[in-house]
Structure formats: C-alpha cells, structure tokens
C-alpha cells in the first residue's frame, strides 16, 4: 500500500474511533470468535442457486442458521435477517439486522454496502466476525428474485400487496411459511429465480434448511428477536449495544456461537484502558494490517501497561504473539484466561509503545 494511502486510511480510522468513543457506542468483548471453520464455502463468486447432491457432514448441528438478504438495483443491501432453527424445547429465531449497522470487513463499514463486492460472502463473514455466530449459509435475493418469490408462494392479491409494501420483513416471513412442503418443489422454485438469487450453499442443503425453518414457522416455533443497537452520531450509523446484545444472542443462538480457534481471520477485541482515541485508532490500523479483525471493547479503568489476554490454547498463544508483534509489545505481556471467548483481547494502557 502506498504511504499516502496508508496515512489517509489511518486518519479515517481515527475519525471513526473518535466518533464511537465520544458517543459511548463501543462493542464489548462478550462474544465468541468469528470466521469460517475449515470446510466452509469459499468466497468465490456464486452464479446462483444450483442443483447439487447434498454434502455429507461430519456432524449435524443441533441449531442451524441462515442469513437472508435483499438487494436493490444498486446492489445495496436493503434487508438482512438472521434465522435460526429450533432445537429441543427452544424456539427458533428471526432477527432482522439494521442495514446501517457497522460491520468489520475488516475496516468498519455499513452492512448496506457489503452486497456489492467480488466476495459474495462479505456480508456473511462480517456478521460472523461481529456477532460471533456461526452462519451456516446465506441467501441473497435481488429485487426481481424477491418479486418472483412473492408471485410463486403468495396469492396474487397478497403478492401485489407485498411488492408495494416497505415492510420486507413481514412479507419475507410470510413467503417462508408458504414455501412448498416438498424438497423437489422448493428446489425448483429456487432454481426458477435464476442468477438473481445467490446462495453460499448447494441447492439441496439450502432447501433442507429452508424447509426446517418453514416447519418451525408454521408451528409458531420462531420468535421475533431484536438486536440491540444504538446510533453513532457520524452519518447515522449504528453499533450493537454491549451486554444487551450478549443476552439476546446467548438466548436465541446459543448452540451456534463460535468458540476461540474457529476464526479464519483472528478476532481481536481492543479495549481502551487509558489509551487515547488516537492511540486506539493506531492500534486498530496496526492489527488490521496484520490480518486481524478488530472489535472495539468497552473502556475500562486506566492501566499503566498494556496486556494481551488470550484463551488457554496453543492456537490462541500463536495469535497472541502476532498481536504483541503488531502492537510493539513483548510476548511477556500475554496473559492466559479461562473466561475468554475470543482469540485475543488487548487492554490498551498508558505505557509507551512503538505505535
């Protein structure tokens, strides 16, 4: 990266961090790791939903998740929702996600702008890294595909209402309830939407998950969930609310939360412990340059020196060493903890560094 571009980007990061810290809209270090476990779908462009033989999985998850998104003609995401299946006596969930929510890609950007990228899994990866939830697959519908879905599963009158409504969440859920009951019919419906519908999974796997969600919805076993967020003054963007989000995610997505060591790109929580906003921004840029995803942590009491907290594992120890190298700290600044659910947490103190 040319020096002038790097310098410019660092100032952009600084401005974002200052805005976030000024409003108190910081994200806590409460959630699990993010990214894709080995064997998950790649980020290569997918031309559409295609027929395929179901893949054999080593283990069947008790709870599965689907990210459903709608894009407008400008390829901007105008609707996102995370669905989870039910398990045992626990209901499934439907959690709309604000499109103005800031997500890491790894730089922070609004979710709305993650739909227009060569990486067709950018939205999925960003939300995994932000929320610490293992998203099994994503389905993205362009405007014409959404219209085709309405025509296929709703009555003509209802389809007309849906197309004229701004309440996408209501009509998407009604469409899910009205999907054909048989796998072949639902599979053909998805194929009929053509390249305007993109999935990160083979058609057979997507159909299987959709019909599980359909069954839950018809049995009233899917609860509506709100992701707690707050506005950041700069540009009307939003960020998740610490604590409150933890409660919601642990209650409704408990069996799909990621654990340390699962991330393809290490997830590092950066917690100010006396450091200035500019120092936090510099540390953020350094960690991003080192190939990590950085999530802001809730500021804590001042510390004289910075430390890096990691889970007790050899994988996390390696990540911790990379973090100390990126920040100009010493390997002796690493502390192991049993309570951590992320790859690493940096408590950025007042002590001098090479940043």
């Amino acid at each position: 990266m040319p020096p002038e571009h790097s310098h410019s980007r660092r100032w952009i990061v600084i401005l974002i961090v200052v805005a976030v810290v000024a409003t108190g809209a910081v994200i806590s270090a409460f959630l699990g790791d993010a990214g894709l476990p080995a064997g998950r779908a790649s980020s290569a462009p997918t031309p559409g939903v295609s027929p395929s033989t179901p893949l054999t999985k080593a283990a069947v998850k008790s709870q599965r998740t689907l990210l459903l998104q709608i894009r407008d003609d400008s390829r901007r995401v105008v609707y996102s929702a995370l669905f989870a299946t039910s398990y045992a006596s626990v209901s499934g969930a439907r959690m709309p996600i604000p499109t103005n929510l800031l997500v890491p890609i790894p730089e922070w950007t609004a979710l709305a702008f993650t739909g227009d990228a060569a990486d067709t899994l950018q939205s999925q990866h960003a939300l995994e890294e932000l929320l610490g939830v293992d998203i099994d697959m994503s389905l993205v519908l362009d405007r014409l595909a959404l219209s085709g879905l309405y025509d296929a599963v709703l009555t003509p009158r209802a389809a007309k209402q849906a197309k004229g409504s701004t309440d996408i969440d209501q009509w998407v859920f009604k469409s899910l309830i009205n999907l054909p009951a048989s796998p072949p019919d639902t599979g053909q419906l998805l194929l009929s939407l053509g390249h305007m519908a993109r999935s990160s999974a083979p058609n057979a796997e997507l159909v299987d998950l959709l019909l599980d969600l359909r069954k839950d919805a018809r049995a009233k076993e899917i609860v509506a969930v709100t992701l707690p967020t707050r506005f950041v003054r700069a540009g009307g963007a939003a960020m998740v609310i610490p604590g409150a989000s933890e409660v919601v995610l642990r209650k409704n997505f408990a069996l799909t939360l990621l654990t340390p060591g699962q991330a393809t790109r290490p997830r590092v929580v950066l917690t100010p412990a006396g450091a200035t906003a500019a120092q936090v921004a510099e540390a953020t840029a350094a960690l991003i340059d080192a190939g990590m995803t950085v999530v802001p942590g809730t500021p804590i009491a001042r510390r004289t020196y910075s430390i890096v907290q990691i889970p007790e594992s050899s994988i996390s120890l390696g990540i911790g060493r990379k973090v100390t190298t990126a920040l100009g700290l010493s390997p002796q600044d690493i502390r192991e903890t049993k309570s951590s659910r992320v790859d690493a947490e940096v408590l950025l103190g007042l002590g001098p560094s090479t940043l």
Side-chain angles (χ1 to χ4, degrees), residues 50-71:
S50 59
S52 176
T53 302
L55 298 179
T56 301
K57 295 184 177 181
V60 177
K61 290 175 61 178
S62 298
Q63 185 180 41
R64 295 188 293 164
T65 51
L66 171 71
L67 175 64
L68 179 59
Q69 295 186 305
I70 310 299
R71 297 190 307 186

Side-chain angles (χ1 to χ4, degrees), residues 11-26 102 230-237 239 277-278 281:
W11 275 107
I12 291 173
V13 173
I14 288 172
L15 291 174
I16 292 175
V17 172
V18 169
V20 170
V21 172
T23 59
V26 290
L102 291 176
R230 64 160 59 98
F231 285 107
V232 180
R233 291 178 183 174
M239 298 190 78

Side-chain angles (χ1 to χ4, degrees), residues 163-180:
K163 294 175 186 177
S165 174
T166 58
D167 188 356
I168 298 177
D169 186 60
Q170 173 195 177
W171 290 105
V172 163
F173 191 59
K174 287 184 177 180
S175 298
L176 175 64
I177 292 174
N178 286 286
L179 286 174

Side-chain angles (χ1 to χ4, degrees), residues 39-41 49-61 64-66 85 124 135-139 179 183 186-187 190 199-213:
R40 288 286 299 277
V49 181
S50 59
S52 176
T53 302
L55 298 179
T56 301
K57 295 184 177 181
V60 177
K61 290 175 61 178
R64 295 188 293 164
T65 51
L66 171 71
T85 58
Q124 180 176 330
I135 300 176
D136 290 290
M137 59 191 78
S138 58
L139 174 62
L179 286 174
T186 294
L190 292 174
S199 173
S200 64
N203 198 37
E205 289 188 10
L206 176 61
V207 167
D208 184 62
L209 178 51
L210 284 172
L211 292 185
D212 271 358
L213 291 170

